[in-house]
């Protein structure tokens, strides 16, 4: 693939709905560890940066990252787009793949497909969420650093600073956006992300029931998740 690139995993411990979720136990390790172990199976798996915040609470994430032999970047709590851009600049990245840290079942094969789309089409953003045909929690967005720089000088709207890529999708006349579709409608409206305590309970159950939590693909995870007997969101 052309240009220097990395996987940027965004995580913080001050989530309002489930504080500390990234470090909650999953199979005897912090939940975010499963995200990292799965991502390491991708083609960019040797270039993972944990991008957290300067909030004191997130020092625990930095400690985890050091123990997991990850690169670390600390930036703004609220300006997530700015945090991504500063991280990309510090590591001299031409582009990066944005991954949410609350995605323990991210599929490395899907990440690779998004990267291949970015490499083939050379857009500003290659994504699998616009429109979304993969479950929430299996999202990957390959973003040009130059394009993100254009965004940050174009808008200071907090909605866009918090959500990084929303401005691209709302202003497609200004940017080249390519989308990867799943090829099925089965996943629409589903989630394997962890936003709430109920999501966490489901994730623990799925972890215990898939063939291998590290190697199971999104289809298996989706099907096993559908058998969970807990209360749906």
């Amino acid at each position: 693939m052309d240009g220097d690139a990395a996987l940027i995993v965004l995580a913080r411990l001050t989530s309002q709905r489930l504080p500390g979720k990234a470090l909650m136990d999953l199979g005897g390790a912090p939940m975010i560890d499963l995200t990292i172990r799965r991502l390491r199976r991708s083609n960019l798996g040797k270039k993972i940066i944990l991008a957290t915040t300067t909030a004191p609470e997130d020092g625990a994430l930095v400690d985890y990252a050091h123990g997991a032999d990850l690169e670390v970047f600390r930036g703004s709590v609220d300006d997530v787009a700015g945090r991504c851009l500063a991280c990309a600049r510090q590591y001299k990245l031409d582009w990066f793949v944005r991954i949410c840290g609350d995605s323990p079942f991210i599929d490395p094969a899907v990440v690779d497909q998004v990267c291949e789309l970015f490499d083939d089409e050379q857009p500003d953003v290659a994504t699998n969420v616009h429109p979304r045909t993969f479950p929430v929690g299996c999202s990957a967005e390959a973003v040009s650093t130059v394009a993100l720089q254009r965004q940050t000088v174009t808008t200071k709207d907090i909605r866009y600073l918090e959500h990084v890529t929303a401005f691209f999708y709302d202003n497609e006349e200004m940017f080249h956006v390519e989308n990867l579709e799943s090829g099925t409608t089965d996943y629409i409206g589903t989630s394997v992300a962890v936003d709430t305590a109920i999501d966490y309970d489901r994730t623990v159950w799925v972890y215990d029931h898939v063939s291998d939590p590290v190697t199971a693909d999104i289809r298996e995870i989706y099907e096993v998740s559908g058998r969970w007997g807990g209360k749906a969101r």
Side-chain angles (χ1 to χ4, degrees):
M1 296 182 183
D2 295 335
D4 290 332
L7 304 175
I8 295 181
V9 179
L10 296 168
R12 61 187 179 96
L13 296 179
T14 54
S15 168
Q16 291 185 348
R17 284 186 286 187
L18 190 61
K21 61 184 176 181
L23 296 182
M24 293 174 71
D25 181 78
L26 183 60
M31 185 173 67
I32 196 170
D33 193 62
L34 183 59
T35 305
I36 300 302
R37 290 169 70 196
R38 289 177 64 85
L39 286 173
R40 280 182 166 145
R41 297 175 59 83
S42 73
N43 290 333
L44 282 178
K46 292 183 179 180
K47 298 181 179 180
I48 302 176
I49 305 166
L50 180 63
T52 189
T53 84
T54 55
E57 299 93 327
D58 289 329
L61 278 171
V62 174
D63 292 340
Y64 160 76
H66 288 159
D69 197 27
L70 294 174
E71 297 286 352
V72 181
F73 179 83
R74 301 187 77 169
S76 173
V77 174
D78 298 318
D79 184 358
V80 187
R83 192 194 323 163
C84 283
L85 180 59
C87 178
R89 285 172 168 169
Q90 177 170 308
Y91 286 93
K92 297 179 171 58
L93 304 177
D94 297 302
W95 60 283
F96 62 89
V97 183
R98 176 203 181 207
I99 304 290
C100 291
D102 61 2
S103 306
F105 293 123
I106 186 71
D107 192 325
V110 175
V111 173
D112 286 345
Q113 290 176 54
V114 170
C115 291
E116 289 166 8
L117 180 61
F118 186 91
D119 195 44
D120 289 344
E121 301 297 331
Q122 297 292 304
D124 293 311
V125 180
T127 180
N128 69 340
V129 306
H130 184 68
R132 181 185 292 281
T133 58
F134 287 88
V136 175
C138 190
S139 304
E141 297 166 295
V143 182
S144 159
T145 302
V146 169
L148 187 57
Q149 162 88 33
R150 285 175 54 207
Q151 172 186 308
T152 58
V153 300
T154 303
T155 180
K156 300 300 180 184
D157 189 323
I158 189 62
R159 294 173 299 168
Y160 295 129
L161 301 182
E162 287 178 342
H163 295 99
V164 185
T165 51
F167 188 76
F168 294 115
Y169 305 146
D170 287 349
N171 296 275
E172 285 192 78
E173 72 282 359
M174 297 172 57
F175 300 98
H176 178 187
V177 177
E178 291 284 345
N179 188 65
L180 175 73
E181 297 193 3
S182 67
T184 179
T185 59
D186 292 352
Y187 302 143
I188 295 174
T190 68
S191 174
V192 293
V194 179
D195 289 324
T196 67
I198 291 172
D199 295 339
Y200 172 71
D201 290 344
R202 179 195 63 214
T203 297
V204 171
W205 190 89
V206 172
Y207 181 97
D208 290 337
H209 288 81
V210 292
S211 58
D212 184 324
V214 177
T215 63
D217 64 19
I218 190 58
R219 187 73 203 181
E220 179 184 352
I221 290 162
Y222 160 78
E223 291 176 349
V224 171
S225 181
R227 300 201 298 270
W228 180 60
K231 183 180 177 181
R233 284 193 295 166

